[in-house]
Amino acid sequence: MAADTSHHLIYLDNNATTRPLPEVLEVMQRHFADSFANPGSRHAAGRAARKVLEASRESIAQILGAAPEELIFTSGGTESINLAIRGLVGTNPGTIALPHGEHPATLEACHALQRRGWKLHFLDIDSEGRLVEDQFSHLPWDDLQLVSVMLAHNETGVIQDLGPLAAMCQQHRVPLHVDAVQAAGKIPVDFHALGVDAMSIGAHKFNGPRGIGGLLIKAERTLNPLIFGGHQEAERRPGTEPVALIAGMAAALEAFDADPTSRFQQLQQLRDRLQAGLRERCPPVIVNGSQQHRLPNTLNIAFPGLEGDPLLIALDLEGIACSLGSACASGSSEPAPVLVAMNCPNEVLDCSIRFSVGVGNTEAEMDDAVGRIAGVVNRMRDNCSQ
Ligand code: PLP
């Protein structure tokens, strides 16, 4: 029977990217027109654009618990992470520590350094996706030049408690970078309170525009730039700043900051409704990762007995946009490395799907999604057993 494609798309892939909020679009449209001048120009139009740029910087920094001069604008999460990793290590190779299952932006930046002589030390995570604390005292501290850890995992949504690791890093004077790309704009994040040295964010994960992100870096840390050019961003990231995108990023974060608790509850209610519905309508299912320490919007769930790729295709035909592993790794059928590191059994590795809800989703959509997903899963299981 041909799939019914007449029903509307239910977008449950907000960890891949989000739809910009209407107020973000409005702010950007205004600034593309009104603040087009180069913020580095000394004439009145340039000064006006700089004012917008600096007001946006102040607002973003303040929401994230940082000083304005600690925020460097970049093109997004990947660039911020590369700048932190490449910019914080010394010139002579040493060791970098990172957990198993980090985002490719971190892993590949570290692999690039490994090819030039750096050593990588992988940190263990437990079956819930949380860092194992016992290992911290056994790290090769004398040779460590950097530790980089995700605050909230893009696949599982699992949130790390960075306190113990940050304390050890401070004690050993080793810089700690945190990839907060999935956390910022979903949960409150305070740069100084985290006790880290650098933190990466990207606007398109919190209903802001694509093509803009930021690296927060403690004032006392020296950062070697990746690219060279003009004096922008205190020469740490030269290039004419995209004022309209930066204003859009500020508007998106301000929308979250206006009521973070409501945003959290809204996302959590939607995600929990989806999770409960799937448990009820297509058992057995296995929810991956800590359910206590998890982003409010993320559900990584296994459907034992099925395979991921065909299920993803069938869900797409049913109008459900979701993801198998991260978007950056899609196209490959390898299980998500983080699930492997969590020692998940094969039935979980074979078929885990990430649903990530967003501010535009509704309860009615969750009920509709449960019906569509359960229909596909149960039909595929019936076919397998025949
Ligand atoms: N870090 C994490 C945890 C992510 O989820 C992503 C995007 O998927 C990135 C980094 C890369 O961010 P961007 O897409 O803005 O380059």
Side-chain angles (χ1 to χ4, degrees):
M1 197 175 69
D4 174 11
T5 51
S6 59
H7 37 220
H8 87 285
L9 173 82
I10 303 182
Y11 186 74
L12 301 177
D13 201 16
N14 287 274
N15 284 11
T17 198
T18 56
R19 187 193 291 271
L21 294 171
E23 59 263 45
V24 169
L25 295 175
E26 188 274 315
V27 163
M28 287 199 298
Q29 198 167 14
R30 181 151 46 85
H31 288 298
F32 271 126
D34 296 349
S35 310
F36 71 91
N38 190 323
S41 297
R42 294 170 71 176
H43 46 65
R47 292 199 306 275
R50 167 136 320 262
K51 219 171 150 184
V52 174
L53 169 62
E54 295 310 334
S56 305
R57 190 193 308 278
E58 263 180 41
S59 172
I60 295 167
Q62 188 261 323
I63 292 170
L64 296 173
E69 59 278 12
E70 291 176 317
L71 172 58
I72 302 170
F73 289 114
T74 66
S75 64
T78 300
E79 187 191 330
S80 300
I81 291 167
N82 273 265
L83 179 57
I85 291 173
R86 305 283 289 262
L88 281 169
V89 295
T91 41
N92 294 327
T95 302
I96 303 172
L98 68 161
H100 286 288
E102 281 295 283
H103 190 274
T106 297
L107 186 62
E108 293 311 319
C110 290
H111 276 157
L113 286 171
Q114 192 183 29
R115 289 191 285 276
R116 289 167 45 193
W118 269 263
K119 289 193 226 81
L120 303 187
H121 181 99
F122 286 93
L123 301 170
D124 289 330
I125 53 173
D126 62 20
S127 60
E128 297 220 309
R130 303 256 290 167
L131 280 167
V132 176
E133 262 184 51
D134 292 355
Q135 67 192 316
F136 297 158
S137 52
H138 309 301
L139 297 187
W141 288 107
D142 290 345
D143 196 49
L144 270 188
Q145 291 189 358
L146 178 72
V147 179
S148 184
V149 174
M150 239 191 273
L151 180 54
H153 203 284
N154 52 304
E155 305 288 356
T156 57
V158 170
I159 300 170
Q160 302 294 347
D161 169 12
L162 292 179
L165 182 58
M168 295 283 279
C169 285
Q170 277 165 12
Q171 189 189 327
H172 292 274
R173 297 178 189 282
V174 172
L176 173 59
H177 163 252
V178 58
D179 169 358
V181 170
Q182 289 292 346
K186 294 191 189 115
I187 55 172
V189 175
D190 188 311
F191 179 55
H192 285 169
L194 280 175
V196 302
D197 297 274
M199 182 169 96
S200 295
I201 58 166
H204 74 103
K205 305 290 187 183
F206 52 83
N207 304 96
R210 216 162 304 159
I212 186 72
L215 178 67
L216 292 142
I217 177 111
K218 282 257 178 74
E220 62 267 27
R221 284 278 171 206
T222 312
L223 186 77
N224 300 311
L226 283 184
I227 55 172
F228 299 88
H231 299 301
Q232 296 92 346
E233 304 299 295
E235 293 178 20
R236 294 169 301 182
R237 203 285 191 175
T240 305
E241 297 94 339
V243 175
L245 295 182
I246 290 169
M249 179 174 174
L253 204 56
E254 284 159 12
F256 162 75
D257 189 56
D259 195 349
T261 310
S262 298
R263 170 84 63 103
F264 190 97
Q265 284 169 352
Q266 180 207 359
L267 295 176
Q268 192 175 41
Q269 274 163 16
L270 292 169
R271 191 271 316 275
D272 288 353
R273 195 174 178 100
L274 181 65
Q275 180 174 312
L278 294 177
R279 273 196 200 286
E280 192 191 319
R281 298 276 300 277
C282 48
V285 296
I286 299 168
V287 175
N288 298 317
S290 166
Q291 293 189 47
Q292 195 190 345
H293 305 281
R294 186 168 50 149
L295 288 175
N297 79 318
T298 308
L299 171 61
N300 191 309
I301 187 167
F303 299 95
L306 297 182
E307 280 187 33
D309 281 324
L311 177 57
L312 194 75
I313 294 166
L315 290 175
D316 187 30
L317 288 171
E318 284 293 327
I320 302 288
C322 56
S323 163
L324 234 204
S326 78
C328 314
S330 68
S332 83
S333 305
E334 294 297 311
V338 68
L339 299 183
V340 177
M342 285 160 61
N343 257 323
C344 292
N346 283 342
E347 60 179 4
V348 167
L349 299 180
D350 288 346
C351 191
S352 285
I353 300 277
R354 180 189 71 186
F355 299 105
S356 46
V357 305
V359 287
N361 289 128
T362 61
E363 291 198 348
E365 273 186 326
M366 294 305 106
D367 296 343
D368 191 352
V370 167
R372 293 191 212 178
I373 299 164
V376 170
V377 167
N378 292 333
R379 192 171 66 232
M380 289 177 83
R381 280 190 177 138
D382 284 350
N383 288 345
C384 289
S385 63
Q386 274 166 19

